[in-house]
Amino acid sequence: MHPIITAVRHTLIRGLLTVSAAVNRLTRGQLPHFMFADERDLTDIKSTVRVTGKTDTGVTLTKFKSDGTIDNGDFKILSATDLHLGPDDRKKKVFVKGYKLNRKTVKNFIRTVKEERPDLVILTGDVILSDCQQTDAVQFSRMMEKLGVYWCYVFGNHEAREEKEYFKYLLYKGLSVYPHCIDLFGDPSLFGYGNFRVDIADGKNSLRKSLFFFDSGRNIQDKVKEQLNLPSDLNGYDFIKPSQTAWYDREIKNLKAKYGENVKSICFMHIPLPEFEEVFNWNEEKSVAEPTGKAKILYGWQYESVGCPPYNSGLFETGKKNGTLQAVYAGHDHVNDFCAEYDGVYLVYTQCTGYNVYSMEDRADWDEKDCHYGTTLTVLKPDGSLEFHQKKNNEYLK
């Protein structure tokens, strides 16, 4: 896709950001306005994780101890979502206010990364929404590179305007050329970009966990309805396509053939699966949720309707049938923050990270200290179990 144009654009962007970073340091993080990270905050967390394998559809990560031996202790994943880096949506592009909120979002995010020192950072979409997406994709990548942590990015509904258009490709390219971004474009026959997996190895010819990433699209397209013979009046948020689900199932079969039947998987996407609606009954008129009794709620609550597709394409059931699915993570719904166990699988809303979004501050007049801004920390334990922790930014208000 226009490789020469792409290379020239990225070269110019990197030059612009190099100069801007110098100005940012000289002005103590105040200028230029579009720089959302204070250069002085960016220090290497000294991760001991390394890439130990790579194919067209997957990356293998292994954690090491300081003496060079493999570390099979806790593996920490920090997930963030909906940073909405761009103008303030609530103020109809009041740019200066939007820039201030961007900096607040990023400052707290960086602070959490440095405090938790995760082994992997995962961003579940709607991160870079500015009018200068390509520049900000490179800016974000440079920021993560200086933090020295491996990270993955899946598209949200706001980045994913079309299935495979050039600017979406260009944004993803701007992220994935940096060494600590382990995103892969994935199988070109599948919907969108970024359908790939990350295997967490334990060095014993077996896997601790296999993480799967999906482009969940934007809205249901007419051509998809025609291809799948769906009703023409079926409208709403997009869904994981049958080809993506089939790819997931094939990858699991291949992993089992290589590592045995004990493979366990976790799926990450932006738009939640329809199964997220099974945790609470939502009263639209009163905007109130009540537990259905079908799920065990570990923490959090539902404060808005689940923004899932009106069509269930079967990813959850496929994961149940192949016997590997442990958890599904989503973003998208900014004020839903529950983690629940449903039908033996954890359904997890990544904590909404951005301040440039609708929130309970403007929806219910909550004080900031009571709101959901933050990240989610997941710990992969040596015995294969999962621990979940809300890392709310209100800790920084004390």
Side-chain angles (χ1 to χ4, degrees), residues 83-216:
L83 277 71
H84 279 239
L85 297 176
D88 185 356
D89 293 339
R90 296 171 297 173
K91 299 296 182 181
K92 296 182 179 179
K93 297 191 177 182
V94 177
F95 284 91
V96 173
K97 182 177 176 63
Y99 289 137
K100 289 181 179 179
L101 291 177
N102 288 346
R103 291 175 180 178
K104 184 176 182 179
T105 294
V106 172
K107 188 175 187 65
N108 286 331
F109 171 69
I110 290 172
R111 184 172 179 177
T112 305
V113 170
K114 290 166 69 174
E115 288 183 359
E116 295 297 333
R117 300 186 71 248
D119 300 302
L120 178 65
V121 171
I122 296 173
L123 297 130
T124 54
D126 281 6
V127 175
I128 302 167
L129 310 185
S130 70
D131 294 332
C132 302
Q133 274 192 329
Q134 316 312 321
T135 299
D136 285 344
V138 176
Q139 183 184 174
F140 193 88
S141 299
R142 288 166 60 107
M143 177 187 86
M144 296 301 292
E145 200 65 23
K146 290 184 178 180
L147 289 171
V149 60
Y150 285 107
W151 61 287
C152 307
Y153 188 113
V154 293
F155 279 124
N157 59 303
H158 285 294
E159 295 112 337
R161 302 292 176 177
E162 297 291 343
E163 181 175 343
K164 288 190 176 179
E165 52 123 41
Y166 177 59
F167 288 105
K168 183 177 177 183
Y169 163 86
L170 192 62
L171 189 154
Y172 208 62
K173 188 71 172 176
L175 301 169
S176 60
V177 295
Y178 283 83
H180 279 85
C181 179
I182 54 175
D183 281 21
L184 298 174
F185 279 88
D187 187 336
S189 70
L190 301 180
F191 172 88
Y193 294 119
N195 300 288
F196 68 103
R197 73 171 203 275
V198 173
D199 297 329
I200 312 301
D202 65 3
K204 300 176 182 177
N205 198 33
S206 61
L207 291 182
R208 299 186 61 175
K209 214 73 66 182
S210 193
L211 315 179
F212 283 81
F213 301 87
F214 299 88
D215 186 342
S216 57

Side-chain angles (χ1 to χ4, degrees), residues 195-337:
N195 300 288
F196 68 103
R197 73 171 203 275
V198 173
D199 297 329
I200 312 301
D202 65 3
K204 300 176 182 177
N205 198 33
S206 61
L207 291 182
R208 299 186 61 175
K209 214 73 66 182
S210 193
L211 315 179
F212 283 81
F213 301 87
F214 299 88
D215 186 342
S216 57
R218 180 174 171 82
N219 295 315
I220 300 175
Q221 301 175 29
D222 289 339
K223 63 180 180 181
V224 173
K225 288 186 278 188
E226 293 174 7
Q227 290 168 358
L228 300 179
N229 197 28
L230 300 176
S232 59
D233 61 350
L234 182 71
N235 298 306
Y237 288 119
D238 214 344
F239 53 86
I240 303 299
K241 308 301 181 293
S243 60
Q244 292 170 289
T245 299
W247 165 78
Y248 164 59
D249 204 34
R250 286 196 305 272
E251 293 286 300
I252 289 297
K253 287 183 172 65
N254 292 336
L255 289 171
K256 284 185 174 183
K258 183 176 182 179
Y259 296 107
E261 291 295 318
N262 291 328
V263 172
K264 295 299 179 184
S265 64
I266 302 175
C267 293
F268 294 85
M269 65 205 68
H270 182 70
I271 298 173
L273 297 179
E275 281 76 14
F276 277 69
E277 289 189 307
E278 299 295 331
V279 179
F280 290 93
N281 288 318
W282 178 253
N283 185 316
E284 189 67 45
E285 183 179 340
K286 296 182 179 179
S287 295
V288 172
E290 293 183 357
T292 62
K294 300 177 183 179
K296 178 183 177 181
I297 301 167
L298 278 68
Y299 63 71
W301 204 256
Q302 182 176 326
Y303 296 97
E304 64 175 310
S305 60
V306 173
C308 64
Y311 174 72
N312 193 331
S313 58
L315 178 67
F316 185 90
E317 282 304 312
T318 297
K320 288 287 296 180
K321 287 179 181 178
N322 66 37
T324 72
L325 186 60
Q326 274 192 298
V328 178
Y329 285 70
H332 191 50
D333 301 333
H334 304 165
V335 297
N336 290 340
D337 70 337

Side-chain angles (χ1 to χ4, degrees), residues 339-353:
C339 171
E341 185 179 2
Y342 167 72
D343 198 15
V345 177
Y346 296 109
L347 302 177
V348 187
Y349 271 112
T350 294
Q351 215 67 32
C352 182
T353 310

